[in-house]
Amino acid sequence: MNAQPNTRCGDHGIDPERVDVGRRSLLDDDTYFTVAETFRALSDSTRAKIVYSLLDQELCTCDLAAIIGTSESAISQHLRVLRQLRIVKSRRAGKLVYYTLDDAHVRVLLMVCLRHTRHGAEDGAAMQSILTMVADEPAAQQQ
């Protein structure tokens, strides 16, 4: 379908074929809600810092609080939101709870956002390595 797009909808009306294709390609509303909630969670700079801090290491709440420069209580509240959205996961070791990113998709999401924000200033090799890691991930983990 190589039809040229209408220059102005008011002049020509809608293109029913394109509208039909567009409507059929939409996902269910719950999917878009979850996507929006994920971006909403990452739109908070403290939560973005938490996720970034967890890119390469597992950290407990007190370590995250020290890194970010806020209280453990505030970090715990942010981690609750991130856990609910499956952005981070936790592991208990005695009295301490350690956090890591839930999966490689979270890493890719953050790296793509950072790359977009920095307009490609980051090393492309690092991004390629992350994309390769996700592509190699077993199909069962991607769902």
Side-chain angles (χ1 to χ4, degrees):
M1 183 158 60
N2 292 345
Q4 291 295 320
N6 295 333
T7 55
R8 290 183 36 201
C9 287
D11 291 345
H12 304 284
I14 65 168
D15 182 333
E17 188 176 324
R18 287 175 186 246
V19 170
D20 185 52
V21 169
R23 284 185 177 159
R24 283 187 281 123
S25 71
L26 288 175
L27 304 172
D28 62 282
D29 287 344
D30 288 342
T31 299
Y32 292 112
F33 178 79
T34 303
V35 168
E37 286 297 300
T38 300
F39 279 108
R40 183 188 62 79
L42 293 174
S43 71
D44 180 277
S45 61
T46 299
R47 288 193 287 262
K49 288 178 188 178
I50 290 170
V51 172
Y52 189 81
S53 296
L54 295 172
L55 279 176
D56 296 317
Q57 62 182 335
E58 177 182 70
L59 295 167
C60 67
T61 307
C62 54
D63 290 339
L64 284 164
I67 290 168
I68 294 166
T70 191
S71 70
E72 287 184 48
S73 175
I75 293 295
S76 292
Q77 292 301 312
H78 288 296
L79 286 167
R80 180 181 55 81
V81 171
L82 295 171
R83 270 194 324 270
Q84 288 173 340
L85 290 167
R86 295 182 9 241
I87 295 172
V88 300
K89 61 184 175 183
S90 60
R91 174 185 70 82
R92 183 171 291 282
K95 293 183 179 183
L96 291 176
V97 179
Y98 289 91
Y99 294 89
T100 57
L101 297 183
D102 189 76
D103 62 25
H105 298 110
V106 175
R107 177 182 302 275
V108 169
L109 181 61
L110 183 62
M111 295 305 289
V112 168
C113 287
L114 289 170
R115 187 167 176 94
H116 173 73
T117 301
R118 298 173 76 175
H119 296 285
E122 238 176 74
D123 179 18
M127 178 61 72
Q128 187 57 45
S129 147
I130 290 167
L131 294 174
T132 301
M133 177 177 53
V134 171
D136 292 342
E137 192 176 308
Q141 290 180 348
Q142 291 185 9
Q143 296 177 0

